[in-house]
Amino acid sequence: MAFGKYAVDYEERVNYPRLRKERLDKAKEQLNKSGAGAIITWDEANIRYLTSYYVTTPMRPAEIQCVLLPRNGEPILFGGGTPSEAERRMPWMKGRVRPGFPPFKVISDNEDHIAVLITVDTIGKVLAEHGLEKEPLAIEGTVCGVILERAFKKVGIEVIHGKPILDAARVIKTQDEIELMRITCQNSESAFAAIVDAIRPGVRECDLVGIGIKALYQEGADHTEDLVCCSGYNTNPYGWSFTDKPLRPGDLVYIDVDGNSYQGYKSCVYRTFCVGKATQEQKELYQECYEMLYGAISVIKDGVTNHDVASKWPDSPAYWGYSDWAEVMPYAVGHGLGLTLHDPPGISAYMMAMGIPPTELKEGMVIALETYAGHKGGKHGVRLEEDVLVTKDGFEVLSRWPIKELMECWMPYN
């Protein structure tokens, strides 16, 4: 991490006015390229990208807050709690926070429902204010897209799919976004440190999840998903949950600090540990997973494709003892990171096998790469993952928790 995480007067760290400006500039650039007159989003990550407004966890599924961005204007936030208070706290949004719409996702079931009609009427008036009522409206981030499309069509407004517009804006990170992602990865290290100190026989998988989450919030996380924590027989075959299983001597335990969010930006970092002294078999399995991971990382740089990266992984599901790629889809994968845990681009041999065209990696992308080693029917599984920044001539690994050797925890004996 280049700087501390908190604002100070003696050096510039994350420059928030620049962060907001550059994110909005990138969104407008992609909106202009799309041919749409405006875009409206109910996605909490895109709401934050366009305005810096934080949608609290319980409000996300209800889709009560949204942002409308006209191509010739500034973003308008609908449903910012108490609008005047939101503007007081976010002066860059002054005059552009309005009351929300009726919760159409919760109460409506067709395009003629009053909640939908109120929403369409309100948005239509804003579009008219900007002279955009005859231009396409891009919609994204709602499960009610079909209903809204029908409703807008009835009033003469064409609707197009908006997700690719903001995906394209967000995929290359600005310097301030990259700094925030470094801080997010640093926070994940605090979680691993607390977890490692707690690993011993009798501690349950769910206990380690709670310990990790507590450490993240103590570091200033604004949200985190449940951590993955699998131990012993739960590590093979690969799974991504946790139970109340207690750790036992000799267990491998893998943990994913996933969805850990600092000012919206996510980390996704797997590490595998041993409860006590590891066997030679466990060490060899760990090395197998490590080499698989770093073989893929080694080719990353601006201009290579996701297929180039995936080609460094096993070319057949038989490597893990299966006959179908769909059965082992998550065993060796990559995914973009940013304001959500799974952004473009996707990376996997499964995508190659399906004939999905390659995507070029670009300087400024941040990608999580994760691999799994475990023999079908075996006792142990190893999972490892790093968060990687694509640079012009190579890469920078943002996640720094030690990875080269299997870490042995709880060592009361030699």
Side-chain angles (χ1 to χ4, degrees):
M1 186 168 58
F3 303 106
K5 65 174 71 171
Y6 305 118
V8 295
D9 64 345
Y10 54 78
E11 65 182 9
E12 182 174 75
R13 297 183 176 181
V14 175
N15 184 319
Y16 291 100
R18 180 177 63 198
L19 172 71
R20 288 190 291 268
K21 180 182 183 303
E22 291 182 348
R23 291 193 304 199
L24 187 55
D25 287 347
K26 287 162 66 69
K28 286 184 174 181
E29 178 186 2
Q30 295 301 323
L31 180 57
N32 286 327
K33 288 180 179 179
S34 74
I39 186 168
I40 187 166
T41 177
W42 280 264
D43 179 82
E44 57 89 14
N46 286 327
I47 289 172
R48 194 160 193 171
Y49 192 78
L50 296 174
T51 67
S52 290
Y53 181 76
Y54 175 69
V55 180
T56 58
T57 307
M59 303 305 290
R60 296 173 191 177
E63 297 179 10
I64 291 174
Q65 285 120 334
C66 65
V67 168
L68 175 69
L69 175 63
R71 63 169 176 78
N72 56 358
E74 297 302 303
I76 300 166
L77 170 65
F78 293 91
T82 303
S84 59
E85 178 61 11
E87 290 185 9
R88 186 185 73 81
R89 292 171 179 262
M90 304 167 60
W92 58 90
M93 290 295 296
K94 187 170 179 59
R96 292 183 284 111
V97 183
R98 304 187 184 184
F101 308 127
F104 60 81
K105 176 185 173 182
V106 179
I107 63 176
S108 67
D109 57 5
N110 64 77
E111 63 269 27
D112 295 320
H113 193 284
I114 186 65
V116 176
L117 296 178
I118 291 171
T119 300
V120 169
D121 181 67
T122 303
I123 295 171
K125 288 177 180 176
V126 176
L127 295 176
E129 290 171 8
H130 289 79
L132 301 173
E133 68 273 21
K134 301 299 183 183
E135 298 185 26
L137 171 66
I139 291 181
E140 78 97 40
T142 174
V143 299
C144 296
V146 173
I147 291 175
L148 289 172
E149 181 178 3
R150 291 172 181 166
F152 277 111
K153 185 177 181 180
K154 287 183 178 180
V155 298
I157 297 175
E158 178 189 355
V159 168
I160 65 172
H161 182 41
K163 185 177 185 297
I165 297 171
L166 293 177
D167 280 353
R170 286 170 41 192
V171 70
I172 305 296
K173 306 301 185 290
T174 70
Q175 60 182 314
D176 295 300
E177 289 183 290
I178 292 168
E179 185 60 23
L180 286 168
M181 298 196 74
R182 289 194 180 101
I183 294 172
T184 302
C185 287
Q186 183 270 319
N187 290 348
S188 77
E189 294 153 15
S190 295
F192 281 123
I195 288 167
V196 164
D197 287 344
I199 289 178
R200 63 192 61 250
V203 173
R204 300 169 301 172
E205 293 172 357
C206 56
D207 294 328
L208 294 182
V209 170
I211 288 166
I213 289 175
K214 179 183 178 183
L216 292 173
Y217 281 115
Q218 287 175 328
E219 287 291 337
D222 54 26
H223 177 72
T224 184
E225 304 295 338
D226 295 334
L227 310 189
V228 173
C229 183
C230 295
S231 65
Y233 57 78
N234 285 341
T235 65
N236 191 338
Y238 172 65
W240 44 25
S241 185
F242 64 90
T243 70
D244 62 347
K245 175 193 170 298
L247 308 187
R248 301 191 67 190
D251 277 354
L252 291 184
V253 50
Y254 62 68
I255 294 159
D256 186 10
V257 180
D258 60 332
N260 155 42
S261 173
Y262 184 75
Q263 300 187 24
Y265 290 89
K266 309 297 188 290
S267 74
C268 192
V269 185
Y270 265 103
R271 289 295 187 267
T272 297
F273 307 98
C274 189
V275 184
K277 202 165 186 64
T279 65
Q280 187 61 31
E281 176 190 358
Q282 290 171 328
K283 292 178 181 178
E284 290 174 358
L285 199 62
Y286 187 94
Q287 185 65 22
E288 185 179 329
C289 189
Y290 173 83
E291 291 177 359
M292 197 189 314
L293 174 62
Y294 268 82
I297 291 174
S298 69
V299 303
I300 289 179
K301 64 178 180 179
D302 181 82
V304 305
T305 71
N306 56 344
H307 287 6
D308 294 328
V309 177
S311 68
K312 305 298 289 186
W313 289 331
D315 59 4
S316 169
Y319 176 85
W320 293 280
Y322 294 86
S323 59
D324 187 343
W325 272 117
E327 292 183 283
V328 296
M329 180 176 61
Y331 280 39
V333 296
H335 55 90
L337 281 173
L339 286 170
T340 57
L341 185 59
H342 297 101
D343 274 356
I347 302 173
S348 74
Y350 182 50
M351 293 171 62
M352 295 172 62
M354 293 183 67
I356 296 175
T359 298
E360 193 172 287
L361 305 188
K362 296 292 187 180
E363 180 180 5
M365 288 182 175
V366 178
I367 298 169
L369 293 172
E370 42 192 306
T371 52
Y372 174 81
H375 306 299
K376 189 175 183 180
K379 295 181 178 180
H380 309 292
V382 174
R383 185 70 163 181
L384 296 172
E385 181 179 24
E386 298 278 40
D387 296 351
V388 182
L389 170 67
V390 180
T391 65
K392 181 179 180 180
D393 300 315
F395 59 88
E396 175 189 343
V397 177
L398 302 181
S399 42
R400 293 192 183 178
W401 187 266
I403 194 173
K404 288 187 178 180
E405 297 179 352
L406 175 58
M407 185 172 289
E408 297 168 322
C409 308
W410 177 70
M411 295 292 288
Y413 53 86
N414 294 323

